[in-house]
Amino acid sequence: PVGAFWGYQTNGLVNTTDQLAEVQKLQPNAGLGDFIFNDIAGAKDAGGNDIPDGRLTDADKTMIGKPLPDFEYGINLGAGFKGIDLAVVFVGTQGNDIFNAMRYFTYDLADVTNKTKDVLNYWRPDNTNTSIPRVNGNDKNDNKRISDMYVEDGSYLRLKTLQIGYTLPVKLTTKIYVQKLRLFLSAQNLLTFTNYSGADPEIGQISSTNYLSRGVDIGTYPQARVLSGGISITL
């Protein structure tokens, strides 16, 4: 599909010497703490289906995520009682993925740039329960190649707008020659429910009008949480 994420599938990190001996049959430059990449294609069986061929090549790349959601939705609620009014708007998506390019760049330990604090959990012989590869200034295994390591579930539910208002009784406002006086408090982007580790899952949907790069989080500044209040007067 247009804009789908294309890359390698991973199968964890190399944790033991026995495991390393097996992995090096496919990845001869791999070491302890390096990614294990899946050999999924390159040859065909009698039925024309892809089968592993014992080599890691571009043919082993596959669709590792999709930026377009299965569906988008919104919930718009309103209520009023004795001068008090409430308006609530929820928005969300389900089934879309985000390519977290910030992780892609900040996890690269061979490049001398700022890093996320997550890399402090890098692989070590005494820290094998991690998904972050070893510190390696000479990455012959090419751990940085595009893979599902950087693809995350981008589904979210967001409280987009919340507004609470109170309209004073007419018998009070007429005394000051005002037809209507309403006080209100409003909030935008107040709450977000998501498993995405980046700054803003909605960025995956709005960061680009180019369908070939939609769903790629390149560190766009997240939408602000805005709290405001006001008075509406009708003379």
Side-chain angles (χ1 to χ4, degrees), residues 182-186 228-232:
R182 177 175 175 267
L183 311 174
F184 66 89
L185 296 173
S186 179
S228 58
I231 301 175
S232 176

Side-chain angles (χ1 to χ4, degrees), residues 103-114:
R103 286 178 61 188
Y104 177 76
F105 290 112
T106 59
Y107 278 25
D108 181 14
L109 299 177
D111 187 17
V112 184
T113 58
N114 288 333

Side-chain angles (χ1 to χ4, degrees), residues 106-165:
T106 59
Y107 278 25
D108 181 14
L109 299 177
D111 187 17
V112 184
T113 58
N114 288 333
K115 305 301 175 189
T116 171
K117 65 180 181 180
D118 293 346
V119 299
L120 294 174
N121 191 34
Y122 63 86
W123 187 94
R124 301 183 302 275
D126 62 342
N127 184 43
T128 58
N129 187 24
T130 179
S131 62
I132 302 175
R134 61 175 174 153
V135 174
N136 187 358
N138 186 19
D139 182 15
K140 294 182 180 180
N141 190 54
D142 196 10
N143 289 318
K144 194 181 177 182
R145 71 184 80 197
I146 301 295
S147 71
D148 55 11
M149 166 66 178
Y150 309 104
V151 177
E152 301 182 48
D153 179 12
S155 304
Y156 70 92
L157 169 64
R158 168 166 283 171
L159 177 53
K160 193 68 175 177
T161 304
L162 171 65
Q163 186 172 110
I164 300 174

Side-chain angles (χ1 to χ4, degrees), residues 4 13 24 28 30 54 65 96-97 102 122 126 170 176 193 208 210 218:
L13 301 175
Q24 285 182 332
N96 60 295
D97 298 305
M102 292 303 294
Y122 63 86
D126 62 342
V170 174
I176 56 174
F193 305 94
S208 176
N210 183 346
I218 57 174

